[in-house]
Amino acid sequence: MPQLAPPLVPGSLAPPRDEPEPAREPASTPPPVPDGGLGDLDLGLELEEIAENSINNTVVVESEQDSKIMVGKEQESEIMVGKEQARAKVTHSIVFVTGEASPYAKSGGLGDVCGSLPVALAARGHRVMVVMPRYLNGTSDKNYANAFYTKKHIRIPCFGGDHEVTFFHEYRDSVDWVFVDHPSYHRPGNLYGDKFGAYGDNQFRYTLLCYAACEAPLVLELGGYIYGQNCMFVVNDWHASLVPVLLAAKYRPFGVYKDSRSILVIHNLAHQGVEPASTYPDLGLPPEWYGALEWVFPEWARRHALDKGEAVNFLKGAVVTADRIVTVSKGYSWEVTTAEGGQGLDELLSSRKSVLNGIVNGIDINDWNPATDEHIPYHYSADDLSGKAKCKAALQKELGLPIRPDVPLIGFIGRLDYQKGIDLIKLIMPNLMREDIQFVMLGSGDQELEDWMRSTESNFRDKFRGWVGFSVPVSHRITAGCDILLMPSRFEPCGLNQLYAMQYGTVPVVHATGGLRDTVENFNPFGDNGEQGTGWAFAPLTTENMLWTLRTAISTYREHKSSWEGLMKRGMSKDFTWDHAAEQYEQIFQWAFIDQPYVR
Ligand SMILES: Nc1ncnc2c1ncn2[C@@H]1O[C@H](COP(=O)(O)OP(=O)(O)O[C@H]2O[C@H](CO)[C@@H](O)[C@H](O)[C@H]2O)[C@@H](O)[C@H]1O
């Protein structure tokens, strides 16, 4: 085994520097304190003592204080929905670790969730930090404009050297947004790759993120207080998966983070962060921890006869060492334990069933609300749908399609990826184009599918539009302007677009899998209390089935106007806000703290 990095002395990655202390930022989250506030604490205590006392022990927070829910952000964007803001009974110091969070950086649903769940938890009284890279690519740099340079530097012993990273910080929506800065996060292209594919150094980039995330609660005084050692780490997907391994291998043996817990949130099992076994020494982990990350490809997946299939797998490391595991829907929490849905990790995940739960994602109704959405030209609600018809006409105009209120407008939004079943849409398109419909697709990814979208558009100029690219405003306008949203995903851990669609009175037609099955209720014209359902969820996933279901939806749209309005309104009245999901996460936190942390 090659020379490994020396053991890390936890909390000491920050080199002593002769720099002046960083200027304090104007505001930040204080640690959770009893209702009496800081005034009740003995101010004679040392700073760290105060932090320890108030962070380590969970604190009961009174509920029912606020008379209105502040669903959101800055004062001007607050929406008072007339409900009381629910508060957690027990609060924690929570550290989210993620490869992306909206609005700073987003490539898909992970960004949405990590941009809004922390805010929802903070609103319930928790002290919440989100640690993610500070991506600078020349175009989205302005997203980080309000982040302060903290002047905190740490050196991370991995990949054959000591790599210096620094931290930036912004306090927004009662959350401490912490950005890890390193030159490897500054490059053109998207977050994880460019037109040539995934970046070759992603393992290095996210190893840095994980080390930095473990140090941040110990070294960053945010608003004057560190988070301390008793945190709830919420690690998202493979990018953050080294965190529970580091806690177990490099911190707990030194008595640090003994009272912290970690939860792995699986948004997508398809990406696991797998690299050759020879990279293990680069990670700076003790040799005896190799087994936690060890991964052997089945024979059929090996490249040649001499290939032993030996690899390291970040996500697997977290499945083994995290204290609890959450998937983003209940349906998916079962699917990941099956050979069909487990992407090779099914047996391992089955062995951890006792700590595996599913929680359906929520949506950020500050961003996704047809009554207030800044990206759509007209606003509307379930009580007055007239704005939706106007949004449809505006979208048709924007796309250069004939402006026809009577024609069903079908939409698709998503990454052009095998997961999303776009190849199946491609197969049914010739048949679909025989119908009197319009179809708009927004997506980027697979080059071949992008080309197919362009050529379909040129073949069906008055019926089809393919918008190749990533545009959040356009995704809102499509969600508002379409009548039907199609999601034939092969697998879908949760899916957010069907939730957005329902919120906007756009009826989803989805493959009944994972979170899609959990959230879209099949239309039933003969339910006990009259018509029921919010869309169509079909299975199995075949082109015939998809086409048949779409035709059923189209004829319902054309011939049963009142049923259609019922479908729209039932979808719009569903409560998909984060508060419900946040409460379920709190239950998981509670269970995690009841159990002992992972130790070997
Ligand atoms: N071209 C484009 N332009 C603008 N916006 C675009 C876009 N392509 C996609 N988006 C946006 O990206 C998000 C996609 O979210 P999804 O949950 O549907 O899928 P994703 O597979 O990325 O997420 C994974 O993580 C999430 C979060 O847990 C799970 O819901 C999901 O099942 C899992 O696969 C939506 O906000 C969508 O509007």
Side-chain angles (χ1 to χ4, degrees):
M1 185 68 67
Q3 188 66 40
L4 288 152
L8 172 71
V9 180
S12 70
L13 290 182
R17 291 188 166 247
D18 295 333
E19 291 169 359
E21 269 299 292
R24 286 277 153 76
E25 294 173 45
S28 183
T29 337
V33 291
D35 276 348
L38 281 176
D40 286 352
L41 292 173
D42 176 359
L43 295 178
L45 288 176
E46 289 298 316
L47 184 76
E48 290 205 358
E49 255 182 291
I50 295 174
E52 287 294 291
N53 289 347
S54 48
I55 296 172
N56 296 356
N57 308 309
T58 52
V59 175
V60 178
V61 175
E62 286 288 313
S63 61
E64 293 165 30
Q65 285 180 333
D66 308 335
S67 59
K68 292 168 183 163
I69 186 171
M70 309 282 197
V71 199
K73 317 216 162 177
E74 307 300 322
Q75 215 146 16
E76 58 269 24
S77 68
E78 279 171 3
I79 301 166
M80 316 290 197
V81 296
K83 273 200 300 188
E84 285 185 358
Q85 167 65 65
R87 307 280 290 179
K89 291 206 177 68
V90 177
T91 58
H92 301 286
S93 293
I94 303 170
V95 181
F96 276 78
V97 190
T98 176
E100 58 186 90
S102 178
Y104 304 103
K106 163 175 161 178
S107 77
L110 172 64
D112 286 343
V113 173
C114 291
S116 44
L117 174 58
V119 176
L121 286 164
R124 294 175 61 83
H126 300 279
R127 189 183 192 204
V128 187
M129 175 199 296
V130 178
V131 186
M132 64 176 282
R134 182 169 176 263
Y135 298 107
L136 300 184
N137 59 16
T139 53
S140 56
D141 304 5
K142 59 181 182 320
N143 298 349
Y144 298 90
N146 295 328
F148 283 72
Y149 171 44
T150 63
K151 294 192 180 168
K152 266 293 178 224
H153 299 240
I154 58 169
R155 291 187 162 277
I156 295 175
C158 65
F159 285 80
D162 273 352
H163 303 273
E164 184 167 286
V165 302
T166 60
F167 294 97
F168 283 66
H169 173 234
E170 178 182 355
Y171 182 67
R172 179 181 57 78
D173 290 341
S174 307
V175 172
D176 289 303
W177 303 91
V178 170
F179 307 109
V180 180
D181 197 48
H182 183 268
S184 67
Y185 302 136
H186 306 172
R187 57 180 62 153
N190 63 41
L191 312 185
Y192 311 117
D194 56 20
K195 62 180 176 178
F196 302 109
Y199 297 130
D201 61 349
N202 275 346
Q203 191 193 39
F204 168 65
R205 298 167 83 222
Y206 295 104
T207 298
L208 290 186
L209 174 69
C210 293
Y211 272 96
C214 290
E215 285 293 302
L218 304 176
V219 301
L220 293 180
E221 284 180 17
L222 304 175
Y225 301 92
I226 60 165
Y227 270 57
Q229 292 186 34
N230 295 11
C231 296
M232 182 77 250
F233 284 91
V234 180
V235 307
N236 295 275
D237 278 354
W238 81 264
H239 316 104
S241 283
L242 218 49
V243 168
V245 184
L246 291 171
L247 296 181
K250 303 205 80 161
Y251 286 87
R252 287 195 188 120
F254 292 88
V256 179
Y257 284 137
K258 277 193 312 213
D259 296 320
S260 281
R261 299 290 187 276
S262 62
I263 294 177
L264 167 66
V265 182
I266 300 177
H267 299 263
N268 197 338
L269 210 49
H271 306 282
Q272 300 182 6
V274 182
E275 296 288 345
S278 57
T279 61
Y280 181 76
D282 292 334
L283 307 179
L285 287 165
E288 63 274 20
W289 278 86
Y290 176 73
L293 299 178
E294 182 180 21
W295 179 249
V296 182
F297 281 104
E299 263 176 49
W300 60 263
R302 300 182 195 169
R303 289 192 200 138
H304 49 77
L306 296 179
D307 183 357
K308 294 198 181 120
E310 289 170 357
V312 287
N313 181 330
F314 272 31
L315 193 72
K316 184 234 162 179
V319 170
V320 172
T321 55
D323 297 309
R324 296 199 73 95
I325 302 167
V326 171
T327 63
V328 287
S329 70
K330 277 204 169 54
Y332 195 58
S333 73
W334 170 76
E335 285 173 16
V336 297
T337 62
T338 66
E340 292 79 14
Q343 309 263 3
L345 289 176
D346 41 298
E347 284 181 17
L348 195 56
L349 283 160
S350 298
S351 74
R352 301 222 65 201
K353 255 186 192 159
S354 60
V355 294
L356 173 64
N357 294 92
I359 301 175
V360 169
N361 287 330
I363 62 177
D364 185 338
I365 59 157
N366 269 313
D367 284 345
W368 291 92
N369 182 347
T372 54
D373 189 332
E374 63 184 33
H375 299 301
I376 62 176
Y378 302 96
H379 293 141
Y380 59 95
S381 66
D383 298 330
D384 177 7
L385 288 166
S386 57
K388 180 155 176 78
K390 291 184 195 161
C391 284
K392 177 174 174 179
L395 179 66
Q396 288 170 322
K397 184 169 179 217
E398 179 180 4
L399 297 172
L401 290 168
I403 301 175
R404 290 179 50 198
D406 58 311
V407 67
L409 177 50
I410 305 171
F412 170 90
I413 301 165
R415 294 179 290 109
L416 302 182
D417 186 279
Y418 177 80
Q419 174 192 348
K420 303 292 177 185
I422 300 134
D423 48 327
L424 301 173
I425 300 181
K426 187 176 156 186
L427 288 175
I428 64 161
M429 200 48 77
N431 271 323
L432 208 54
M433 288 290 105
R434 283 195 208 115
E435 308 272 341
D436 183 21
I437 57 134
Q438 294 177 346
F439 203 115
V440 54
M441 291 183 74
L442 168 67
S444 59
D446 186 303
Q447 184 79 41
E448 236 176 70
L449 291 168
E450 289 183 355
D451 291 344
W452 166 76
M453 276 164 58
R454 291 190 185 100
S455 72
T456 309
E457 176 171 315
S458 61
N459 290 338
F460 301 98
R461 295 240 23 112
D462 58 344
K463 287 190 168 179
F464 185 93
R465 283 293 174 276
W467 191 307
V468 175
F470 192 95
S471 166
V472 171
V474 175
S475 72
H476 283 244
R477 293 203 288 275
I478 291 178
T479 305
C482 284
D483 300 298
I484 295 170
L485 187 91
L486 178 62
M487 287 184 78
S489 306
R490 285 199 164 75
F491 66 95
E492 197 59 80
C494 175
L496 295 171
N497 287 318
Q498 84 281 10
L499 304 181
Y500 300 147
M502 286 187 270
Q503 180 82 4
Y504 280 66
T506 302
V507 177
V509 173
V510 304
H511 172 214
T513 181
L516 297 177
R517 183 175 38 211
D518 287 4
T519 55
V520 177
E521 239 177 87
N522 237 324
F523 176 54
N524 177 5
F526 310 110
D528 290 343
N529 306 314
E531 293 185 343
Q532 287 173 346
T534 55
W536 280 269
F538 63 88
L541 181 62
T542 61
T543 49
E544 293 79 14
N545 220 349
M546 177 169 24
L547 204 52
W548 187 87
T549 313
L550 270 177
R551 285 188 172 132
T552 308
I554 291 166
S555 68
T556 309
Y557 172 83
R558 284 221 172 85
E559 291 154 31
H560 304 278
K561 291 284 176 205
S562 67
S563 296
W564 194 262
E565 201 172 308
L567 272 161
M568 291 167 77
K569 288 188 169 172
R570 282 191 295 276
M572 293 178 88
S573 64
K574 291 265 167 200
D575 181 3
F576 295 122
T577 52
W578 267 111
D579 216 39
H580 182 55
E583 204 178 341
Q584 295 178 62
Y585 272 93
E586 283 164 359
Q587 174 67 76
I588 304 287
F589 299 157
Q590 191 186 336
W591 288 336
F593 277 111
I594 288 170
D595 293 337
Q596 289 300 306
Y598 179 90
V599 280
R600 237 169 38 141

